[in-house]
């Protein structure tokens, strides 16, 4: 314990120096992400009792603390998760928006040109020129479908590659966080807070929130447990659990998020992953990408089926009955769940384009009943003890081979692969069946009916034409894009405000630090002066004897 | 309120980025002269615009079909009027011919009737604007009247082709050589409805009688009766053609009005209000400059400058 004038002076010098060091540290870290400003905590030394009262013993430096507000920190983490999600979603969905909306890549103008060309054949059925033109426009239309399908495929693999990037970032951050947890827990025992490590740890949580929605639960030893989804642990104390991308059991072509627990990877249900880039990408894939692909596929199947059916009713320039104008498109084969115990293979065929919805379906068997669920609205469209043998929403199911066991399920995406399958089947213009009776080269009866298919409501149970169905897809995607854009702008304001509020508590203000420098400098000078005075007093005493 | 030093920079930066994004958007709008750059800019407007442009494309198809149909019927009108003139000439000859006239006069008449026969044959085998036989029904590559003389030997069929000139509105654009009264131009046999007639048969029989040197009043009466039936039929065909043209012209007016309406509506939805956009651009430019100015001012402030 310091005592006496010099001793007190030294405590004052130490305190001022501690203040200067902390100020320097603050200034040095003004731009360090996640850094919270620090303060020295001072208190008066225990005073010395004398008969004349308590005499002060100077100052002691109790601790260095960081200025944080847990509530504001949590807000930043939450806002960061929401913003990253919306940014990832918008970044992807806006590409579909431009793809479908652009007249150079969308279907609208290609459909118009195609049906206009059918009219031209009707106007001059005997000549090869309009027939050749029709085939050319049909090829343009089919390449538009293909182009959209390719672009959607590219976006799908883009989702996969971004997911895998995010997953390795998450794993990396989770490992660092577990390491920090260990360090913090051991240093916490010293009785003083490891401020800079705590800052680093908080910053890691914020970075994790960029990738995936997380909740952090502070533990008594100062470490954080971090959870994703519905309470799935990512970090528990010093242990982290790796995420990975695995083939979905429901659809092996689709990669889904899984967490590795021991030796097994457990699928994390997509709907439980809220925020972050991963949350945004998963939501985009199931909500926008799958929907757009199936709805465009429905238009492709509607066009080829309706046109081929009518075309077969007519006769070509060689008086032969019309063949396929477009290559027929089969519905996508139902996908057996990889967990199925039965050997059942389910087949699918088209029963009528008007019934097709563009939704996905699930066929499941619980041992008593077969149930077909339409996934867009979760409606059970078939329930029965027998395998469904009636048409469901425009398709028929069949048990192609094997048996279905209780607990087996199949994913049905009837129109999913439609757009990529559009192809023109004929190249010889004389094979266009414009005539309604064989023989007459100027007979355009069938061409007139074919031309009217463009404006006939052949989809959605007779409520939508091909072009209306297309504008509905464009509208649907546009609304989703607009929503994501509005959300990302709103979330970016929320995040900026949250950061400003959090920084207002924890951030370094250089003017404040400049003032502190002066303050501690003056305190240091004053303490020095006091020691000088003490020394002068001592000299005075010594001078008495000389 | 306490403000962290970095907040000055991040907030000003965010403000400048926002202003720049707005400015870029407006200048893209002005560059494209479009209010809606992507469907998501205005989903409802974009969907409406798409539907209107689909409808517009269909109306333009109808418009081109109407022109095409009208041209086909106009050409027929000309040919039918020529045919009608020829029949009238022959009728005048029939009116003047009598059994008592000099043989040489009647044989001159016969030459004129045979000339009419050949002109009619040329008309009957004529081509339409696409190069197909106009009066062959669906059988456009076949010469419909193959005989050089004598009654009709019809090689075409009775097919009638339509053009769609409006939603569900189809107009027949040809008349076959053979067919029911008011449809067939040259020939109507027992197989078809209405009174029988054969233009070439009547002309040939009349010319043969005139040339025979022993033409009877019955021959002349038969010729006149036949020509009358033919003329009445022709008149029916001509009326039908001109009625169709009237119908087409009405459809043209409707379609033109619809196209104008659609174009207006599309313009209102899609087109940019240039004046508004330019004013907006200037406002945004000013805001960006202000954000930049304030950044520069604030960035220069520091207590360290005074130590």
């Amino acid at each position: 314990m310091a005592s006496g004038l010099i001793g007190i002076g030294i405590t004052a010098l130490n305190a001022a120096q501690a203040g200067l060091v902390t100020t320097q540290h603050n200034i040095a870290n003004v731009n360090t992400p996640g850094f919270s400003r620090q303060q020295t905590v001072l208190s008066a030394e225990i005073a010395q009792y004398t008969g004349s009262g308590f005499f002060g013993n100077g100052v002691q430096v109790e601790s260095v603390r960081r200025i944080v507000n847990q509530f504001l920190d949590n807000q930043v983490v939450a806002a960061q998760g929401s913003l990253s999600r919306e940014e990832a979603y918008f970044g992807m969905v806006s590409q579909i928006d431009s793809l479908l909306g652009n007249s150079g890549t969308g279907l609208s103008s290609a459909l118009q040109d195609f049906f206009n060309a059918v009219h031209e054949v009707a106007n001059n059925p005997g000549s090869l020129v309009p027939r050749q033109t029709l085939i050319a426009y049909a090829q343009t239309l089919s390449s538009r479908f293909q182009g959209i399908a390719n672009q959607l495929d590219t976006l799908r693999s883009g989702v996969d590659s971004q997911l895998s990037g995010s997953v390795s970032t998450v794993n990396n951050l989770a490992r660092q966080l577990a390491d920090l947890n260990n360090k913090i827990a051991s240093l916490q025992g010293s009785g003083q807070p490891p401020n800079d490590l705590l800052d680093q740890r908080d910053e890691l949580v914020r970075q994790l929130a960029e990738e995936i929605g997380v909740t952090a639960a502070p533990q008594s030893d100062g470490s954080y447990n971090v959870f994703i989804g519905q309470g799935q642990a990512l970090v528990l104390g010093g242990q982290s659990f790796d995420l990975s991308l695995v083939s979905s059991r429901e659809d092996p072509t689709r990669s889904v998020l899984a967490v590795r627990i021991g030796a097994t990877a457990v699928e994390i249900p997509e709907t439980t992953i809220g925020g972050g880039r991963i949350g945004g990408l998963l939501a985009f894939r199931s909500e926008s990408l799958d929907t757009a692909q199936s709805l465009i596929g429905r238009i492709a199947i509607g066009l080829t089926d309706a046109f081929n059916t009518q075309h077969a009713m007519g006769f070509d320039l060689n008086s032969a009955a019309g063949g396929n104008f477009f290559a027929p498109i089969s519905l996508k084969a139902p996908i057996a769940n990889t967990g199925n115990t039965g050997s059942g293979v389910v087949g699918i065929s088209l029963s009528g384009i008007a019934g097709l919805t563009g939704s996905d379906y699930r066929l499941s068997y619980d041992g008593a009943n077969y149930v077909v669920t339409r996934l867009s609205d979760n409606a059970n469209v078939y329930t029965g003890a027998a395998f469904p043998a009636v048409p469901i929403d425009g398709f028929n199911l069949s048990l192609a081979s094997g048996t279905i066991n209780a607990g087996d399920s199949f994913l049905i995406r009837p129109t999913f692969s439609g757009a990529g399958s559009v192809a023109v089947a004929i190249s010889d213009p004389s094979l266009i069946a414009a005539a309604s009776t064989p023989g007459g080269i100027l007979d355009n009866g069938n061409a007139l009916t074919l031309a009217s298919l463009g404006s006939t409501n052949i989809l959605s149970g007779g409520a939508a034409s091909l072009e209306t169905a297309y504008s509905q897809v464009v509208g649907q995607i546009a609304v989703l894009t607009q929503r994501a854009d509005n959300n990302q702008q709103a979330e970016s304001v929320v995040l900026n405000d949250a950061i400003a509020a959090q920084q207002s508590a924890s951030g370094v203000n250089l003017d404040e630090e400049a003032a502190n420098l002066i303050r501690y400098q003056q305190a240091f000078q004053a303490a020095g002066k006091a020691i000088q005075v003490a020394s002068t007093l001592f000299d005075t005493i010594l001078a008495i004897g000389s | 309120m306490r403000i962290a030093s970095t907040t000055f920079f991040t907030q000003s930066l965010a403000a400048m980025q926002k202003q720049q994004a707005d400015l870029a958007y407006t200048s893209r709008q002005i560059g494209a002269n479009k209010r809606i750059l992507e469907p998501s800019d205005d989903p409802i407007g974009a969907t409406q615009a798409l539907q209107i442009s689909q409808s517009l494309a269909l109306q333009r198809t109808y418009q081109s079909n109407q022109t095409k149909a009208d041209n086909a019927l106009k050409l027929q009108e000309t040919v039918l009027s020529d045919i009608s003139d020829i029949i009238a000439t022959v009728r005048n000859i029939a009116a003047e011919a009598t059994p008592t006239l000099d043989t040489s006069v009647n044989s001159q008449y016969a030459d004129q009737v045979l000339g009419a026969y050949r002109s009619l044959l040329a008309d009957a085998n004529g081509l339409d604007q696409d190069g197909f036989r106009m009066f062959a029904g669906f059988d456009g590559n076949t010469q419909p009247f193959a005989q050089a003389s004598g009654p009709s030997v019809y090689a075409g069929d009775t097919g009638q082709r339509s053009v769609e000139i409006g939603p569900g509105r189809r107009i027949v654009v040809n008349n076959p050589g053979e067919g029911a009264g008011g449809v067939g131009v040259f020939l109507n046999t027992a197989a078809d409805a209405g009174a029988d007639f054969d233009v070439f048969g009547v002309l040939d029989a009349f010319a043969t009688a005139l040339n025979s040197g022993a033409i009877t009043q019955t021959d002349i009466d038969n010729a006149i009766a036949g020509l009358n039936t033919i003329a009445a039929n022709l008149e029916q065909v001509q009326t039908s053609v001109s009625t169709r043209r009237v119908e087409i012209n009405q459809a043209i007016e409707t379609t033109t009005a619809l196209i104008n309406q659609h174009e207006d509506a599309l313009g209102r939805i899609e087109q940019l209000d240039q004046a508004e956009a330019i004013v907006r651009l200037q406002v945004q430019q000013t805001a960006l400059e202000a954000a930049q100015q304030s950044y520069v001012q604030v960035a220069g402030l520091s207590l360290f400058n005074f130590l």
Side-chain angles (χ1 to χ4, degrees):
Chain A
M1 190 173 79
S3 60
L5 282 176
I6 292 187
I8 293 176
I10 287 169
T11 65
L13 278 180
N14 282 341
Q17 236 169 10
L20 283 169
V21 166
T22 308
T23 303
Q24 280 285 20
H25 187 58
N26 285 344
I27 292 171
N29 285 295
V30 64
N31 289 324
T32 306
F35 178 77
S36 309
R37 70 191 162 106
Q38 298 176 5
Q39 271 180 353
T40 45
V41 183
L42 302 178
S43 66
E45 280 276 11
I46 295 164
Q48 191 176 9
Y49 175 75
T50 68
S52 341
F54 287 95
F55 282 89
N57 261 329
V59 62
Q60 69 167 338
V61 181
E62 272 196 0
S63 179
V64 180
R65 61 164 185 169
R66 60 181 192 136
I67 310 296
V68 286
N69 180 326
Q70 193 64 53
F71 174 73
L72 295 177
D73 278 2
N74 290 346
Q75 275 193 325
V76 170
V77 169
Q80 181 67 67
S82 304
L83 176 62
S84 298
R85 174 199 154 92
E86 299 302 338
E87 280 178 344
Y89 196 121
F90 177 76
M92 298 303 277
V93 77
S94 58
Q95 296 186 48
I96 306 186
D97 187 45
S98 327
L99 174 72
L100 300 184
N102 187 320
S103 61
T105 51
L107 279 184
S108 192
S109 61
L111 274 171
Q112 288 160 11
D113 290 346
F114 172 72
F115 281 106
N116 189 46
V118 183
H119 271 284
E120 288 304 320
V121 170
N123 290 344
N124 189 1
S127 164
L128 289 181
V129 177
R131 286 168 177 262
Q132 195 67 63
T133 311
L134 171 60
I135 291 177
Y137 277 116
Q139 276 157 352
T140 308
L141 180 59
S142 95
S143 59
R144 280 292 165 86
F145 271 112
Q146 304 267 8
I148 291 176
N150 284 342
Q151 209 53 40
L152 295 180
D153 280 347
T154 308
L155 288 177
R156 194 171 293 281
S157 40
V159 167
D160 282 348
S161 64
Q162 290 186 56
L163 277 179
S164 90
S166 275
V167 162
S168 47
T169 309
V170 167
N171 289 341
N172 198 10
L173 292 172
R175 276 180 221 135
Q176 291 181 39
L177 219 153
D179 278 355
L180 273 176
N181 268 345
N182 274 338
K183 285 182 191 154
I184 288 168
S186 65
L187 290 174
Q188 202 81 359
S190 70
Q192 291 290 354
N195 292 322
D196 296 312
L197 293 185
L198 296 176
D199 279 348
Q200 280 176 32
R201 196 260 322 274
D202 290 352
E203 172 64 11
L204 285 180
V205 172
R206 194 196 61 75
Q207 287 179 14
L208 266 178
E210 282 184 17
E211 306 299 332
I212 192 165
V214 289
T215 41
Q219 302 300 299
S220 55
D221 65 356
S223 67
Y224 270 4
N225 288 347
V226 178
F227 302 95
I228 57 171
Q230 281 179 332
Q232 176 59 57
L234 186 65
V235 178
L236 286 180
Q239 193 187 2
S240 67
F241 301 91
D242 273 0
L243 296 184
S244 60
L245 289 174
V246 297
S247 284
S248 159
R249 289 157 67 89
E250 186 154 56
D251 177 0
T253 62
R254 195 178 179 83
S255 49
V256 292
L257 208 58
V259 65
R260 188 160 295 285
I261 297 173
T264 50
V266 180
E267 270 186 43
I268 304 172
E270 273 188 26
T271 46
T272 65
I273 298 163
R277 194 167 287 138
I278 292 177
L281 290 169
L282 292 176
F284 159 75
R285 185 171 66 180
S286 63
E287 191 178 60
S288 298
L289 184 57
D290 288 356
T291 308
Q293 187 146 355
S294 285
L295 287 176
I296 299 286
R298 181 176 74 136
I299 296 171
I301 292 169
L303 167 73
T304 52
D305 184 69
F307 205 85
N308 278 352
T309 306
Q310 186 60 45
H311 194 252
M313 293 181 193
F315 295 89
D316 63 20
L317 278 182
N318 313 320
S319 302
N324 280 327
F325 182 87
F326 290 107
I329 302 177
S330 350
L331 300 186
K332 183 176 165 65
I335 306 155
N337 193 303
T338 54
N340 284 0
T341 56
S343 57
V345 174
V346 174
I348 189 169
S349 62
L350 183 65
S351 73
I353 52 169
L356 293 175
T357 63
S359 170
D360 292 347
Y361 298 79
R362 184 183 297 115
L363 166 69
S364 52
Y365 181 59
D366 62 4
N369 280 317
Y370 288 91
V371 177
V372 178
T373 311
R374 182 170 52 220
L375 300 181
S376 61
D377 57 1
N378 277 323
N380 288 342
V381 287
Y382 175 85
T383 308
F387 186 88
V390 291
I392 299 164
D393 286 4
F395 59 86
N396 286 312
L397 295 177
S398 61
L399 184 54
S401 69
T403 50
I404 294 177
N405 288 350
D408 287 0
S409 70
F410 296 84
L411 179 65
I412 304 162
R413 331 186 82 180
T415 61
F416 194 74
S417 53
S421 313
V422 180
V424 183
I426 61 176
S427 54
D428 177 356
S430 71
L431 297 183
I432 295 172
S436 51
T437 50
I441 59 159
L442 295 187
D443 182 353
N444 67 351
N446 202 45
L448 283 173
T449 318
L450 284 171
S452 68
L453 284 177
S455 44
T456 309
N457 290 343
I458 55 174
L459 294 177
S460 301
S465 68
L466 294 167
E467 299 198 19
T468 314
Y470 181 69
S471 57
Q472 284 166 354
V473 189
V474 174
Q476 216 167 326
I477 293 297
V479 168
L480 288 168
T481 310
Q482 191 190 38
R483 191 192 68 187
D485 192 20
N486 289 344
N487 284 352
Q488 78 166 359
Q489 287 179 25
E491 290 301 340
S492 125
V493 172
V494 170
L495 178 63
N496 276 339
D497 288 354
I499 289 177
Q502 188 258 358
Q503 284 290 298
S504 144
S506 305
V508 175
N509 181 307
L510 286 174
D511 287 346
E512 181 185 7
E513 302 304 329
N516 281 342
L517 273 183
I518 308 289
R519 188 152 67 107
Y520 293 125
Q521 189 187 11
Q522 286 179 353
F524 190 90
Q525 285 167 345
K529 197 72 191 169
I531 290 171
Q532 194 188 359
V533 168
S535 151
T536 317
L537 290 181
F538 190 61
D539 287 347
T540 310
I541 300 297
L542 287 182
I544 293 171
S546 62
Chain B
M1 183 183 149
R2 199 183 163 276
I3 291 180
S5 295
T6 48
T7 305
F8 276 129
F9 294 92
T10 52
Q11 300 280 58
S12 316
L13 184 63
M16 283 188 282
Q17 283 170 335
K18 168 93 174 65
Q19 306 286 4
Q20 275 170 350
D22 289 350
L23 200 61
Y25 180 75
T26 307
S27 71
R28 267 182 69 207
Q29 281 187 317
I30 293 173
N33 192 22
K34 272 182 158 181
R35 189 177 68 84
I36 304 175
L37 294 172
E38 313 287 353
S40 56
D41 293 340
D42 177 2
I44 295 172
T47 316
Q48 276 177 346
L50 210 50
Q51 268 161 356
I52 293 172
S53 69
Q54 286 160 5
S55 177
L56 192 58
L58 190 60
Q59 296 300 335
R60 291 212 171 106
T61 300
Y62 288 144
Q63 197 173 44
S64 115
N65 289 359
Q66 287 156 0
T67 313
K68 177 106 187 168
D70 195 48
N71 285 345
L73 290 173
K74 200 153 78 182
L75 182 60
Q76 279 182 52
E77 231 173 28
T78 313
V79 177
L80 286 170
S81 136
D82 187 39
I83 295 170
S84 166
D85 288 349
I86 296 170
I87 299 295
T89 313
V90 179
R91 269 171 86 188
N92 285 339
I93 294 170
E96 283 171 23
T98 61
T100 54
L101 278 175
D102 193 89
T103 316
S104 65
V105 178
N106 274 341
S107 75
Q108 267 177 22
Y109 281 149
D111 286 347
Q112 284 181 32
V113 173
L114 284 175
Y117 183 105
R118 282 189 296 274
S119 302
L120 279 180
L121 195 59
D123 280 342
N125 287 331
L127 303 178
D128 67 12
Q129 73 270 30
D130 296 317
F132 295 100
R133 302 288 180 172
M134 192 185 294
F135 296 108
F138 286 156
D139 214 354
N141 275 342
T142 305
Q143 183 178 324
F145 293 93
Q147 84 283 357
S149 60
S152 298
V153 179
Y154 185 61
D157 60 23
T158 56
Q160 284 193 287
R161 194 173 77 253
S162 300
V163 167
E164 188 152 298
I165 59 159
R169 283 179 78 187
R170 290 178 186 174
I171 288 286
V172 173
V173 292
N174 71 316
N175 288 90
E178 177 185 340
V183 177
V185 179
F186 299 98
L187 179 66
N188 190 39
T189 66
D192 310 306
D196 289 356
F197 59 85
D198 174 357
V199 175
F200 295 105
V202 169
L203 261 60
D204 182 67
F206 187 38
T208 309
L210 283 168
N211 258 340
S212 67
I215 189 167
T216 64
Q217 191 57 42
T218 315
D219 290 333
I220 294 167
D221 290 348
N222 281 348
I224 289 175
L227 288 167
N228 280 346
T229 311
I230 289 161
N233 179 65
L234 260 181
E235 207 172 307
Q236 252 184 299
V237 173
Q238 281 175 309
T239 311
S240 148
V241 168
S242 58
T243 311
R244 280 178 264 165
R245 285 196 67 198
V246 169
E247 202 180 327
I248 290 172
N249 281 316
Q250 283 166 350
I252 288 175
E253 278 178 30
T254 313
T255 306
T256 311
L258 272 175
I259 287 177
N260 287 340
Q261 271 179 28
H262 285 341
E263 278 174 345
D264 281 357
L266 204 55
R268 274 197 299 278
I269 295 172
E270 278 190 328
Q271 242 174 31
L272 183 69
D273 178 348
Q274 285 279 3
E276 181 273 334
I278 288 166
V279 170
R280 179 151 47 91
L281 187 78
Q282 281 169 348
V283 170
Q284 284 166 342
Q285 217 169 351
T286 313
L288 176 61
E289 280 166 14
Q292 288 168 336
Q293 286 277 355
S294 77
Y295 174 78
V296 171
Q297 301 267 339
V298 171
L301 289 178
S302 174
L303 182 53
F304 284 103
N305 294 341
F306 302 101
L307 296 183

